[in-house]
Amino acid sequence: MSDTDGKKTLGLRGTARPGNVKQSFSHGRTKNVVVETKRKRVVVPKAGATKSTGTSGAAGGDPSRRPAGITDAEMERRLKAVQAAKAREAGEAAEREAEEKARAEERDRRRAEQEEKEREEREREESLKAKAEEDKRRQEEAEAAAKAAAAPAEEPVIQRPAREKAAPEAAPRKQQDRERDTNKRGKGGDDNRRSGKLTLNQALSGGEGGRQRSMAAMKRKQERARQKAMGGQVEREKVVRDVQVPEAIVVSELANRMTEKVGEVVKALMNNGMMVTQNQTIDADTAELIVEEFGHKVVRVSDADVEDVIKEVEDDDKDLMPRPPVITIMGHVDHGKTSLLDAIRNAKVVAGEAGGITQHIGAYQVKTEGGQLLSFLDTPGHAAFTSMRSRGAQVTDIVVLVVAADDAVMPQTIEAINHAKAAKVPMIVAINKIDRPAADPNKVRTDLLQHEVIVEQMSGDVQDVEVSAITGQGLDELLEAIALQAEILELKANPNRAAVGAVIEAQLDVGRGPVATVLVQNGTLRQGDIFVVGEQYGKVRALINDKGERVKEAGPSVPVEVLGLNGTPEAGDVLNVTGTEAQAREIAEYRANAAKDKRAAAGAATTLEQLMANAKADENVSELPILVKADVQGSAEAINQAMEKIGNDEVRVRVLHSGVGAITETDVGLAEASGAPIMGFNVRANASARNTANQKGVEIRYYSVIYDLVDDVKAAASGLLSAEIRENFIGYATIKEVFKVTGVGKVAGCLVTEGVARRSAGVRLLRDNVVIHEGTLKTLKRFKDEVAEVQSGQECGMAFENYDDIRPDDVIEIFEREEVTRTLT
């Protein structure tokens, strides 16, 4: 018996027990910490003391074995608390054990279900595979039997090795599949079991803490496998889309908009009889059929829909703010218009800034003594103003008509008056050269009465100011009259919106590229804005005002030079700010294509014959506009009076402009804007006017007899009336016999019974007095000779164009159509 029997080995395990704890931190860092746990001493009374407590009447037992200050009642409460804590711990331990057991059973059940599903899936796949191998083997046997029937001697050589080889290969392959599945299942079972806490490596390696497939994904996979096993196709729900179909679309783009396969779309087109590829273009009707065949909804769009992004928006009255007026100064070139403009600039522009004004901009601003801004447009000729009016760019608010006091009203002055009336803008008459000795302003006022311009001194409503560009007399009064007229008009615009403007002039600068002078009409044009103007587009790189200074923005009625275009626009084009560069490019390309088609279309010129044809096609045309230029005023008045008499309730002639003198380039511009021909009576057009007319397709006609002019205009106006079509029957023929001629078809041997039969006439085939065919003759022969006509009582051969159903005793009716033009009386 050793010395240690019944005794415990001495050690350091007392109330304090040291231990190592491994702490884990982020980024894989760990730290070992020494932790010392200290047991709490629990005072438990001995058994003898408890029994004595129960038997004796003392409540606290032996006072000598009890901690100091503890009574019997306190000691009893403590013992009951200890017993309750032990009971609670025992109950919690039992609950934990039951929960752990339930979780283990749930895991085992789920694992068994998963293994059962996998086993069923494998068995299904093996059965399908075995079925496929069996079908393949039967097919091979059938082929081998067919070959054996053709060559009986070769049967043992071909058939037996195939059977012997197929059987041994099937068994090892199945055995290998079972072993592979068993290994996978065994490994998977070990990996899927939770073996402790989740670590960073397990999460990154896709273990238990990695992303798992959802139940919905598992159900979808099982559904696809079930459908595949049953031999059916997996059907997806059809998504109906709204497909936008333009006038022409590429097949691949159509498939993309429907989210269908290109091959399916091409197949559908081929089924409809169209052999196209994915890169070919189809029309809108064909595309609509294909879209409806695929079950989508068709939304027809037009190429012109690209301009919907720049539609005019009505501004609220509360957003409108006053804007400076835009004034255009017009008049005869010799009446001092340029001198008056220079005088206004020199009088109202600081001397130091006068040299910085860019003369070619054609627009500038002047500030009156009252502090009001005025925007002036410098139009050297009338052509630019007319082209702007023809494009609908009403940029001018007030027209200042300059008339020389010593020259009175001249032909170009009258043209300026007509331009102002056509644009429907108010006029202010500036009687210039008042400082000359021969000046007679009253004669000017009297001459203006003949053209329905009544000034205020003649009890009219048109302001007139006597000015002198040389001495500066009356310039302040002229500016005050302009300001008063602008105040009457109450010109307002909304500066807080996308800019809209008109091009005054445009040029191609060597150093700056395309430059356009733009007058902002509404909104504010800022640097960096993307815009489209006519057939061009661009982004504002710089804005330069009339003083040559760079500005960041330009408000309403402010003229600026715009840099950043991709091409040079035309005078009068409208500038619109867009949201994106893609929109601007698309609009510009559409306008360029439309202009190209318009130029390429036949009949773009304005002639009398084309006016007649256009009037027939357009029912709304009820007026025939013309321009008249004569050698003397009396002839012009006579022509005007004759034109007023032409017409009835359906059509009438409107004289846009009647003047005296040679036909000028201004007349051609006005005619081109209004789509009217020019009638010249004993006058001719100068060289520049002829060149402009040839370029713009404006017709100029010359007359020396007034009756010829009236007859031609009356004929053109009669073309507005619908023509009458009459049929004249010129003959009848009876079919005696029908012959078949090679290369011609059926030929009718006819006898002309009445009138004459002509090769160029129309024919009708009558059978029992019923019209069964109407057409033309393909041939008309007499004795094997092609003839133009056959007289009554003679025989001939007739063959119809694209018609062979002719029989003996049929009657051929020959007629001619005649268009009877209605004339004006």
Side-chain angles (χ1 to χ4, degrees):
M1 194 170 181
S2 65
D3 298 336
T4 61
D5 289 341
K7 298 180 180 180
K8 294 183 179 179
T9 306
L10 295 176
L12 298 176
R13 297 186 62 183
T15 59
R17 294 182 300 173
N20 292 333
V21 176
K22 187 177 182 180
Q23 292 183 341
S24 298
F25 302 95
S26 62
H27 304 289
R29 294 179 296 139
T30 58
K31 180 180 178 182
N32 292 326
V33 181
V34 178
V35 180
E36 188 177 86
T37 59
K38 196 171 184 179
R39 285 188 176 182
K40 184 178 179 180
R41 184 175 180 179
V42 180
V43 179
V44 181
K46 291 184 179 181
T50 306
K51 290 179 181 180
S52 63
T53 304
T55 57
S56 65
D62 190 1
S64 63
R65 297 184 180 184
R66 190 181 304 154
I70 301 299
T71 60
D72 294 340
E74 182 69 21
M75 191 66 186
E76 187 176 356
R77 281 196 299 272
R78 289 190 181 187
L79 290 176
K80 289 182 179 180
V82 170
Q83 293 174 0
K86 288 183 178 180
R88 188 167 53 253
E89 287 179 1
E92 290 177 356
E95 290 179 1
R96 283 197 298 271
E97 185 177 357
E99 290 177 358
E100 186 66 24
K101 185 177 180 180
R103 281 197 293 270
E105 292 177 355
E106 180 68 18
R107 284 197 298 269
D108 294 340
R109 185 181 63 78
R110 290 184 179 179
R111 190 181 301 112
E113 290 179 357
Q114 186 68 20
E115 290 177 357
E116 182 67 20
K117 289 181 180 178
E118 291 179 357
R119 185 180 60 79
E120 292 178 357
E121 187 69 23
R122 282 196 303 274
E123 290 179 356
R124 189 184 297 109
E125 291 177 357
E126 289 175 0
S127 63
L128 292 174
K129 191 173 181 181
K131 184 179 179 181
E133 291 177 355
E134 182 67 19
D135 295 340
K136 185 176 180 182
R137 185 179 61 78
R138 291 179 180 176
Q139 185 178 1
E140 290 177 355
E141 290 178 357
E143 292 177 357
K147 291 181 181 180
E154 297 178 1
E155 180 181 359
V157 181
I158 296 174
Q159 190 171 359
R160 188 180 299 113
R163 292 179 179 175
E164 292 175 355
K165 191 173 181 180
E169 284 181 356
R173 190 181 298 113
K174 291 183 179 180
Q175 185 66 23
Q176 292 173 4
D177 292 341
R178 289 197 192 94
E179 292 176 358
R180 191 185 305 112
D181 294 337
T182 304
N183 294 334
K184 286 182 180 179
R185 185 167 63 253
K187 292 179 182 178
D190 294 338
D191 293 341
N192 290 335
R193 293 182 180 179
R194 186 179 296 273
S195 58
K197 295 182 179 180
L198 176 65
T199 63
L200 185 63
N201 292 331
Q202 289 178 353
L204 295 177
S205 61
E208 181 68 23
R211 180 180 175 87
Q212 301 294 326
R213 301 187 68 178
S214 63
M215 292 299 295
M218 294 296 296
K219 290 180 179 178
R220 288 194 297 269
K221 181 180 178 181
Q222 293 175 1
E223 183 65 23
R224 287 195 296 269
R226 188 179 299 109
Q227 292 284 346
K228 186 176 180 181
M230 296 175 61
Q233 301 240 345
V234 180
E235 297 255 346
R236 291 189 303 172
E237 184 178 356
K238 183 72 175 179
V239 179
V240 179
R241 303 181 185 276
D242 292 336
V243 182
Q244 293 186 351
V245 179
E247 296 175 358
I249 187 171
V250 182
V251 176
S252 58
E253 177 64 19
L254 179 62
N256 187 21
R257 294 186 182 186
M258 294 191 298
T259 62
E260 302 286 351
K261 295 181 180 179
V262 180
E264 297 293 332
V265 178
V266 173
K267 182 179 178 181
L269 287 168
M270 289 183 176
N271 291 336
N272 289 327
M274 293 187 63
M275 299 299 173
V276 297
T277 63
Q278 63 176 353
N279 297 323
Q280 288 182 326
T281 304
I282 58 176
D283 58 359
D285 295 335
T286 306
E288 184 175 356
L289 293 175
I290 297 301
V291 171
E292 291 177 351
E293 183 176 340
F294 278 89
H296 299 288
K297 296 180 180 179
V298 179
V299 179
R300 294 291 290 265
V301 296
S302 175
D303 291 340
D305 293 343
V306 298
E307 296 202 27
D308 291 344
V309 297
I310 58 173
K311 284 185 177 179
E312 288 192 18
V313 179
E314 294 293 335
D315 297 319
D316 294 335
D317 294 337
K318 61 181 180 181
D319 298 332
L320 299 179
M321 299 178 64
R323 65 173 178 86
V326 180
I327 303 101
T328 300
I329 299 182
M330 303 176 65
H332 198 278
V333 291
D334 294 332
H335 285 191
K337 182 186 65 172
T338 304
S339 301
L340 185 60
L341 293 175
D342 292 338
I344 293 175
R345 285 201 295 264
N346 293 332
K348 295 300 174 184
V349 177
V350 181
E353 297 178 353
I357 297 176
T358 53
Q359 303 297 323
H360 60 274
I361 192 171
Y364 52 90
Q365 283 191 325
V366 172
K367 198 169 187 178
T368 63
E369 292 181 355
Q372 184 177 6
L373 283 175
L374 305 177
S375 298
F376 283 91
L377 294 185
D378 185 5
T379 54
H382 306 295
F385 185 76
T386 306
S387 63
M388 283 189 287
R389 184 178 65 83
S390 66
R391 291 179 177 89
Q394 298 288 346
V395 299
T396 302
D397 300 319
I398 302 171
V399 170
V400 175
L401 182 64
V402 180
V403 186
D406 60 345
D407 204 8
V409 177
M410 297 295 289
Q412 290 190 10
T413 308
I414 302 171
E415 292 174 3
I417 295 172
N418 293 329
H419 286 310
K421 289 182 178 180
K424 297 180 180 180
V425 294
M427 281 189 299
I428 297 176
V429 178
I431 304 175
N432 197 16
K433 301 182 182 180
I434 198 67
D435 57 322
R436 293 201 175 182
D440 189 0
N442 291 327
K443 183 177 184 301
V444 174
R445 297 185 180 99
T446 306
D447 292 344
L448 289 174
L449 290 174
Q450 301 176 5
H451 305 287
E452 300 178 0
V453 178
I454 306 173
V455 298
E456 289 180 346
Q457 291 194 10
M458 296 289 182
S459 301
D461 56 353
V462 178
Q463 299 184 76
D464 63 315
V465 182
E466 297 179 2
V467 297
S468 174
I470 297 176
T471 62
Q473 177 185 351
L475 292 182
D476 292 337
E477 288 80 0
L478 177 61
L479 294 178
E480 289 177 3
I482 294 172
L484 178 60
Q485 185 66 49
E487 187 177 352
I488 295 173
L489 294 176
E490 295 183 355
L491 304 172
K492 292 183 179 181
N494 180 14
N496 301 318
R497 55 162 289 176
V500 178
V503 177
I504 306 303
E505 66 178 16
Q507 60 181 351
L508 186 62
D509 195 284
V510 177
R512 300 184 296 173
V515 180
T517 302
V518 177
L519 178 71
V520 181
Q521 296 174 290
N522 206 352
T524 302
L525 183 63
R526 297 178 176 85
Q527 187 173 346
D529 284 347
I530 300 170
F531 62 90
V532 58
V533 49
E535 302 173 18
Q536 313 297 334
Y537 70 96
K539 184 177 182 180
V540 179
R541 289 195 292 110
L543 296 173
I544 302 174
N545 63 4
D546 58 333
K547 300 179 179 61
E549 302 170 349
R550 285 205 172 195
V551 294
K552 294 293 184 182
E553 59 182 25
S557 300
V558 177
V560 287
E561 280 187 340
V562 178
L563 280 69
L565 293 97
N566 69 328
T568 305
E570 297 183 7
D573 285 342
V574 179
L575 180 143
N576 295 96
V577 173
T578 60
T580 62
E581 187 175 356
Q583 291 178 348
R585 185 188 304 110
E586 190 176 6
I587 295 171
E589 290 176 356
Y590 163 72
R591 290 178 177 175
N593 294 333
K596 186 187 299 182
D597 296 341
K598 186 177 180 180
R599 288 191 294 267
T606 305
T607 63
L608 286 174
E609 290 79 6
Q610 287 158 357
L611 278 173
M612 294 164 60
N614 293 338
K616 291 178 182 178
D618 190 357
E619 297 178 356
N620 297 325
V621 175
S622 59
E623 289 184 345
L624 176 65
I626 62 171
L627 271 77
V628 177
K629 294 301 287 288
D631 54 347
V632 293
Q633 187 68 28
S635 300
E637 292 178 0
I639 294 172
N640 288 337
Q641 293 174 0
M643 295 299 106
E644 291 176 358
K645 296 178 182 179
I646 298 175
N648 54 15
D649 295 338
E650 298 181 25
V651 63
R652 65 185 179 90
V653 179
R654 182 166 62 97
V655 179
L656 293 177
H657 169 64
S658 175
V660 178
I663 299 172
T664 62
E665 191 174 354
T666 304
D667 300 322
V668 177
L670 182 59
E672 188 247 346
S674 305
I678 300 175
M679 306 294 182
F681 184 73
N682 287 335
V683 293
R684 295 292 180 267
N686 54 33
S688 61
R690 286 196 301 269
N691 295 334
T692 305
N694 292 333
Q695 292 175 1
K696 296 183 177 180
V698 177
E699 184 184 20
I700 301 176
R701 290 197 172 192
Y702 304 116
Y703 298 93
S704 57
V705 181
I706 191 171
Y707 301 109
D708 296 339
L709 186 150
V710 173
D711 291 342
D712 284 355
V713 174
K714 187 180 293 186
S718 300
L720 301 177
L721 303 173
S722 59
E724 294 181 3
I725 299 177
R726 296 178 182 174
E727 289 185 356
N728 298 326
F729 297 98
I730 60 175
Y732 290 90
T734 304
I735 300 177
K736 298 297 184 182
E737 192 64 42
V738 179
F739 307 96
K740 289 186 179 179
V741 179
T742 304
V744 179
K746 289 186 178 181
V747 177
C750 304
L751 173 65
V752 181
T753 58
E754 182 181 345
V756 62
R758 287 198 180 95
R759 170 72 175 81
S760 59
V763 293
R764 290 192 184 96
L765 184 63
L766 306 180
R767 185 173 298 159
D768 297 333
N769 293 326
V770 178
V771 178
I772 62 173
H773 175 68
E774 181 177 342
T776 58
L777 290 176
K778 180 163 60 176
T779 180
L780 178 63
K781 290 188 177 183
R782 178 168 171 77
F783 298 114
K784 298 184 179 181
D785 296 329
E786 190 75 26
V787 293
E789 63 178 27
V790 178
Q791 297 295 328
S792 175
Q794 296 180 351
E795 294 182 347
C796 62
M798 295 184 187
F800 291 90
E801 191 76 37
N802 300 325
Y803 191 77
D804 288 337
D805 185 16
I806 53 178
R807 302 174 187 176
D809 298 330
D810 287 349
V811 177
I812 298 175
E813 184 180 73
I814 303 104
F815 64 92
E816 287 183 346
R817 283 194 178 94
E818 179 185 5
E819 286 191 1
V820 179
T821 304
R822 297 169 59 192
T823 58
L824 295 171
T825 57

